[in-house]
């Protein structure tokens, strides 16, 4: 440490009249942070462009008729081709209900297509063979209808949370989960995701 006028010079930078003011470190830190921030922005932009390009490629693959919109049948065919699984009508109905938020109704644009595929992937993950939710659903679906009534749903919710679930809570979940709005009075596997 040496004294030069009103400043003390130390190995890490400058100290001024007892108050630490590490000018050199501060400048280096700011320059480094600014560089890192810029690098992160460029990386995010490149990643976003890569995802957009990939999404566009997937969308064009699914858009069999080249209309620029994906129909219910095209999304079902795409899922079959890409995942090797044939979705049933309830599953496709749910995917379309969740993803189709913009006109024209019954047709998916590129962003809606991305939501539809994400929805399908989440559903398949949650209900993969042997997955906890799949096993619970199958145990509670005593009549093997593929749909749970309010009592069966209450049982599933109770087992899943290890707590008692009231009839009112089960009714509220049932009402919220009936996304397809098919009036069945039950909730299907896909609606539980």
């Amino acid at each position: 440490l040496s004294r030069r006028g009103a400043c003390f010079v130390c190995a890490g930078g400058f100290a001024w009249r007892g108050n630490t003011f590490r000018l050199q470190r501060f400048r280096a830190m700011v320059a480094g942070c600014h560089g890192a921030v810029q690098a992160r922005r460029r990386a995010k932009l490149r990643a976003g462009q890569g995802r957009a390009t990939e999404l566009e490629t997937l969308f064009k693959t699914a858009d069999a008729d080249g209309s620029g919109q994906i129909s219910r049948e095209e999304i079902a065919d795409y899922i079959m081709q890409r995942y090797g699984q044939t979705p049933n009508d309830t599953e496709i109905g749910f995917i379309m209900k969740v993803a189709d938020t913009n006109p024209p109704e019954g047709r998916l644009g590129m962003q809606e297509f991305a939501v539809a595929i994400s929805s399908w992937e989440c559903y398949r993950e949650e209900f993969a063979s042997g997955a906890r939710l799949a096993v619970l659903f199958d145990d509670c679906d005593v009549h093997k209808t593929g749909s749970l009534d309010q009592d069966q749903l209450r049982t599933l919710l109770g087992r899943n949370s290890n707590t008692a679930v009231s009839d009112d809570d089960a009714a509220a979940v049932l009402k919220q989960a009936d996304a397809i709005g098919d009036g069945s009075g039950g909730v299907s596997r896909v609606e539980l995701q």
Side-chain angles (χ1 to χ4, degrees):
L1 198 60
S2 67
R3 182 182 167 131
R4 289 192 195 160
C7 293
F8 294 95
V9 179
C10 62
F14 294 96
W16 184 66
R17 294 187 187 176
N19 295 325
T20 303
F21 182 71
R22 300 189 189 293
L23 185 60
Q24 291 172 339
R25 279 191 184 169
F26 179 72
R27 285 181 181 161
M29 185 178 67
V30 168
C33 287
H34 181 68
V37 167
Q38 293 302 320
R40 275 191 295 255
R41 284 182 185 157
R42 287 191 305 271
K44 283 182 181 179
L45 180 62
R46 280 194 301 272
Q49 289 169 340
R51 284 190 295 269
T53 301
E54 181 183 0
L55 177 60
E56 188 174 336
T57 301
L58 296 175
F59 183 82
K60 286 180 181 178
T61 301
D63 186 16
D65 65 6
S67 66
Q69 299 285 320
I70 306 294
S71 69
R72 182 183 179 97
E73 293 77 24
E74 287 172 323
I75 195 75
D77 290 344
Y78 177 80
I79 289 170
M80 176 57 196
Q81 290 172 359
R82 173 131 185 184
Y83 301 99
Q85 301 165 325
T86 304
N88 63 39
D89 287 339
T90 303
E91 292 166 335
I92 289 297
F94 177 78
I95 289 169
M96 293 299 287
K97 183 89 171 190
V98 168
D100 189 11
T101 57
N102 297 321
E105 190 173 328
R107 311 278 294 171
L108 304 177
M110 195 175 309
Q111 294 305 316
E112 293 170 313
F113 171 73
V115 170
I117 295 305
S118 177
S119 176
W120 176 257
E121 289 172 349
C122 289
Y123 168 65
R124 295 313 303 164
E125 187 177 300
E126 289 291 328
F127 283 97
S129 180
R132 178 169 163 64
L133 195 53
V135 171
L136 280 173
F137 188 94
D138 290 341
D139 287 348
C140 294
D141 184 15
V142 294
H143 303 297
K144 304 303 177 207
T145 61
S147 182
L148 302 179
D149 62 26
Q150 184 174 324
D151 289 335
Q152 294 167 332
L153 179 61
R154 183 174 38 78
T155 302
L156 181 139
L157 294 171
R159 287 185 187 173
N160 193 45
S161 65
N162 291 325
T163 60
V165 176
S166 71
D167 286 336
D168 291 341
D169 289 340
V173 171
L174 181 64
K175 182 178 178 181
Q176 187 71 26
D178 190 15
I180 297 174
D182 57 6
S184 67
V187 61
S188 66
R189 281 176 163 247
V190 71
E191 290 173 312
L192 277 181
Q193 91 165 327

